[in-house]
Structures are given as C-alpha cells and as structure tokens.
Amino acid sequence: MPRLLALLAAAALFLLLPLAAGQRFRGFSYLLDCGAPSPTTDRRGLSWNPDGPYVSAGTPRELPVQGLLDPTLGTLRAFPHRPAAKFCYTLPVDRNRRYLLRPTFFYGSSSPPPPVFDLIVDGTFWTAVDTTADSLAGSASHYEAVFPARGRSMTFCLGVNPNYTDSGPFINALQVIQLDDSVYNATDFGRSAMGLIARTKFGSTGDVERYPDDSFDRYWQPFSDSKHAVSSTHNVTSADFWNLPPPDVFNTALVAKQNAPLVLQWPPMPLQNDSYYVALYFADTLADSSRTFDVYINDYSFFKDLPVTSAGLSVFATQWILSGLTRVILTSSSVLPPLINAGEVFGLFPIGKLTITRDALALESVKRNLQNIPDDWIGDPCMPRGYAWTGVTCDEGEFIRIVSLNFSSMGISGSLSPDIANLTALTNISFANNSLSGPIPDLSKLNKLQRLHLYDNKLNGTIPQTLGTIQVLRELIQS
C-alpha cells in the first residue's frame, strides 16, 4: 500500500513505490469505427468494428479525404440537429469496473465550421466538444476520460446543446477500454470522474507513445527540450506501478543542469481554478544510481526529499488545486541534479445523479411495448439537466423522478404497459393522437395523476373503474 504523506487542502498525496508484479491486460474493451460498413485494422494492429450494433440513431458518412494514416478517420456518424436531444451508444460493461473513454472527431473540412456539442456518460455531463482549431489545422480531436461503470451497461451520448451551433453532432471513432483495478484507484469514482488534461513523456522527440507500448492505448505526448533531454536504455518494470505506465516513458527524461533547478511550464495550457489529479513519474537515468530532490508545483511543496532510483517511482495527488499556468519546479538536495520522466494531469468532475431505478425500469418497460419511438430514448431518461427524453419531464429534487409523459402526436404505436403504473410521481400522461391499441391498464397507483389524455388512438375495452379512486384526477379524455 502507498504511504500517506500529507493532507494539504484536502489533497491526498502519495508516493508509489513498485508493487509485486501483477497481470497487465486490455480487459473488456470496444474499438468502434463510427460509420464504417465493415471491420478495419490500423497500423498498430488494433481491430476496429463498425459502430452500428451499439447505436440506433445517426447516419453513416464517408469523408472525401485521401491519404489518411488512421483508417478510422475516413468515416463518421452524423446525428440530426434536434435541440436538447442526446444520441447514445449503449455498451455492455462489467459493473463497478472503471473504463477509459476516448472519442475521436475529424470533420474533414473547416468550412462550414464544425458543430459544437456536449458529451454525456451515464447521465453525467462530461464536456463540450469544439473541434474548430483542430479542424483548421487538418487534425483530429481526441477527448479522454475515466468513468466508473454504474450498471451492466454504459451509455456514451452526444448532446445537441441549443446554445452552441445549428448543426448536429458527429463522431469518427470511440474507444471504451476497461482498466486494471489498480489504475487511478486512489480516485473516489463513487463521487468523481476524471477528464484528461495532459499526459506527457518528458524529453521525448518521437511520436506519441501508444499501444502496444501502453496496454490501454493511452496517449503519451512528447515534450522535447534540447537543453535538458536525456535518454537511457535500462529497463524499469512499469508493471509494478499502480497506474501501469508503459516502460518506455522511463527511457527519456528532462534533467536539470548541475546546481540549478529544473523549471517546467506544464501542462502547457492555463487551467481553471479547481481540483486536479496529478501523477508524476521518475526513474534515475543512470543504472544502479539514485538522487534526491524536492518537487514544487506553483511554489507549493509537492514532495520533499524525493528518493529517486533507477527502479523508478511515482508521486501523485488526488485533489491538488491548480489555477492558470502551472509550473513544476525540481530542486536538488543531492549531488546529482533532479529529473522527471513523465506526468499526467486530470480534471475531476462530479458524477451526476440518475433517475431513480424504479422509474427508469418502469419507463424502459413502457418503451419496450411501443414502436416508432423517438431515437433519443436511450440513456438516462432525465439526466443530465436539459437532456431528458423527448416528451419526458422530470423533477430534480432529492430523488430524480419522472413527473410527466407528453407523447402526443408522435406517431407511436403499440400498447400501454401495465408498468406505467409504477411511475408513481406522474401528474400528467398524454398519448393523444397516436396509434395505440389494447386495453387501458390499471393506473390506480398513480395517486398524483391530474391529467390523462388518450384520445385519437385504437384502444379497446372500457375505462378502468379504478381511475375513480385517484382523487386529484381532473382531466380524463379517452375518445
């Protein structure tokens, strides 16, 4: 177990020394080539499957761009511009495990400008996607986060925010990779998810480090500095580290000049004032050597007298306050100068509430009995705020409850499931002007129901007398 070193402003700071060797595995994963008609294999040997089996909305498109090194950028799935709708992928997962999610976006042109839209995972707002700058540069945009699996399936959704642009969202590729239980395990995933800010291999001048070097296909970006870059060839057993960094990240480093500190502006972009997960990785570049130095972030002590050997170690903080541009400062307290090999910074954001299970299951049962339903009836029916299913209204009190179903004139057919009576917070139901058939179920448990509109359908049988027991029912229109 790691040693707890300090509690500073609610920041738990840990030193990670190598653990006993354990299994490294890719785990339960999806690599989806969005809009593709058939499987593809990239130059790293990874197999990508079409996304069709996991999404019911959107239109596949092929981009008229030649010479792409990544075959997954050649197609995309485009979704309609329907304000406040979310279009979701549904992926079976292992409950209570954590997953790395990486969607990729490549619009293929900068005119017209690409749309801006939201990303949502299991009812939690993740971030807004704006690929404008990358599109102007002819580059793809990658977003990455780590989320817990809250059930037996995970939904990844693209949300149409009416405050952004007037065109619908799109996606080229989606990776969902199950992480080892040790990876990022100091984060309380019952409360927070992690959004990647930077993942860096210091001293590297090569390409991005990815799979197969990193078994989870994490991207380690190069950070070159000709004045301080040093390389080594000795092997660090990175499988012994909780976060399982690839071994090659320890083969390059930035090393300070003798009797001088090493000062880095990293991450390279300004950050909002908030809590961040920070992990720094160190290994002496000289075989059978060691050195000791102090680590500061923005002039605050991150670790004093850090003992770095050629075996390597990592230091991380689970909630470190950062704001604006960040400086990492290493100052020596031994003969050999300080160094750094790699680092990761994640933003932390709260896991959102979900619709209470009873309501969500009842509405799923109602959905199964219907045909021609809206294509955004996937994912959490209420959350996040502003992204309820079409026709569904929710109350966001202590518990998220469904309070109204207004499905009038939607062209819906099928029958009314008896499980609609389990939506006990309902005050309004309208299926007017559709093509429903079959009987009206017993709704007597809906003691808050005030309006029930079922006219212009093909329902048969009589109106249940039990509706008379609902004292607040004011409108009943059946024919």
Side-chain angles (χ1 to χ4, degrees):
M1 296 293 292
R3 279 192 298 128
L4 179 62
L5 297 174
L7 287 172
L8 301 173
L13 183 65
F14 295 86
L15 166 68
L16 271 66
L17 296 172
L19 304 173
Q23 182 182 11
R24 296 182 69 179
F25 58 96
R26 284 193 55 81
F28 197 125
S29 64
Y30 297 89
L31 282 75
L32 302 183
D33 187 357
C34 302
S38 58
T40 56
T41 301
D42 65 21
R43 55 180 175 164
R44 293 166 294 133
L46 289 176
S47 297
W48 296 76
N49 293 313
D51 65 335
Y54 305 98
V55 63
S56 59
T59 304
R61 292 182 184 172
E62 186 172 345
L63 295 178
V65 181
Q66 303 297 320
L68 294 172
L69 294 178
D70 186 344
T72 64
L73 302 183
T75 59
L76 59 77
R77 181 173 294 273
F79 299 90
H81 182 260
R82 190 182 307 151
K86 61 178 185 279
F87 302 103
C88 302
Y89 288 79
T90 301
L91 305 159
V93 291
D94 290 335
R95 188 184 182 96
N96 297 325
R97 303 298 292 271
R98 67 187 68 101
Y99 288 81
L100 180 150
L101 282 77
R102 184 187 299 109
T104 297
F105 308 96
F106 180 67
Y107 200 53
S109 67
S110 58
S111 181
V116 180
F117 48 91
D118 290 335
L119 297 184
I120 300 160
V121 178
D122 284 344
T124 294
F125 170 77
W126 170 5
T127 190
V129 171
D130 186 349
T131 65
T132 303
D134 286 332
S135 182
L136 287 171
S139 302
S141 300
H142 307 281
Y143 290 72
E144 183 181 313
V146 179
F147 277 87
R150 304 170 76 177
R152 295 178 181 175
S153 65
M154 175 178 286
T155 56
F156 168 83
C157 310
L158 299 91
V160 183
N161 191 318
N163 297 320
Y164 296 161
T165 53
D166 57 1
S167 52
F170 70 98
I171 184 171
N172 299 74
L174 175 62
Q175 292 172 276
V176 180
I177 299 174
Q178 182 178 298
L179 297 174
D180 187 277
D181 285 343
S182 71
V183 178
Y184 311 127
N185 66 352
T187 298
D188 182 358
F189 284 100
R191 295 177 176 270
S192 301
M194 304 168 64
L196 182 67
I197 304 296
R199 179 182 293 116
T200 303
K201 180 182 179 182
F202 293 111
S204 173
T205 59
D207 294 333
V208 175
E209 185 112 352
R210 295 181 58 181
Y211 179 89
D213 300 308
D214 189 300
S215 59
F216 307 112
D217 198 24
R218 292 170 294 187
Y219 293 10
W220 298 81
Q221 301 288 341
F223 188 107
S224 61
D225 182 342
S226 58
K227 293 182 179 179
H228 299 97
V230 172
S231 61
S232 67
T233 57
H234 69 272
N235 294 322
V236 173
T237 308
S238 63
D240 295 341
F241 291 80
W242 282 5
N243 285 349
L244 301 178
D248 281 355
V249 302
F250 294 99
N251 289 342
T252 63
L254 296 180
V255 183
K257 299 297 183 183
Q258 195 70 38
N259 301 320
L262 181 63
V263 181
L264 306 173
Q265 182 178 298
W266 179 84
M269 72 289 290
L271 302 177
Q272 294 183 351
N273 184 15
D274 212 334
S275 293
Y276 294 84
Y277 175 101
V278 181
L280 304 177
Y281 302 88
F282 307 90
D284 201 310
T285 55
L286 302 175
D288 301 319
S289 179
S290 66
R291 61 190 75 197
T292 303
F293 50 87
D294 301 331
V295 181
Y296 296 86
I297 297 182
N298 288 341
D299 299 321
Y300 290 95
S301 178
F302 193 75
F303 201 103
K304 295 284 288 183
D305 296 325
L306 183 68
V308 175
T309 69
S310 54
L313 57 78
S314 63
V315 180
F316 70 90
T318 59
Q319 296 185 53
W320 193 269
I321 302 298
L322 296 175
S323 179
L325 292 174
T326 301
R327 292 197 314 162
V328 177
I329 305 168
L330 311 178
T331 60
S332 180
S333 53
S334 64
V335 174
L336 293 174
L339 55 75
I340 186 169
N341 302 82
E344 295 178 282
V345 176
F346 288 86
L348 303 175
F349 52 95
I351 295 290
K353 289 183 177 180
L354 296 175
T355 307
I356 67 166
T357 302
R358 178 174 176 171
D359 280 13
L361 292 176
L363 193 56
E364 281 290 339
S365 180
V366 172
K367 171 184 165 182
R368 285 194 295 271
N369 275 40
L370 302 175
Q371 291 83 49
N372 303 320
I373 59 176
D375 53 9
D376 68 339
W377 282 14
I378 300 178
D380 190 86
C382 293
M383 302 302 287
R385 177 177 298 173
Y387 283 109
W389 290 4
T390 297
V392 175
T393 302
C394 305
D395 177 72
E396 297 180 24
E398 181 181 0
F399 302 103
I400 310 299
R401 301 298 308 273
I402 297 170
V403 296
S404 176
L405 303 178
N406 184 1
F407 302 151
S408 301
S409 304
M410 286 189 177
I412 294 172
S413 59
S415 61
L416 288 176
S417 168
D419 288 334
I420 195 172
N422 291 329
L423 295 167
T424 54
L426 282 177
T427 61
N428 175 70
I429 298 175
S430 179
F431 281 89
N433 192 27
N434 284 290
S435 299
L436 298 182
S437 58
I440 301 173
D442 180 5
L443 304 177
S444 60
K445 291 192 295 184
L446 303 183
N447 55 23
K448 297 181 180 179
L449 187 64
Q450 299 174 24
R451 288 174 293 276
L452 176 62
H453 294 181
L454 300 175
Y455 59 89
D456 288 342
N457 279 284
K458 301 175 183 178
L459 298 167
N460 53 44
T462 59
I463 297 175
Q465 293 184 355
T466 53
L467 287 174
T469 65
I470 304 176
Q471 297 182 1
V472 297
L473 184 61
R474 296 292 178 263
E475 296 181 16
L476 172 58
I477 307 177
Q478 192 269 333
S479 61

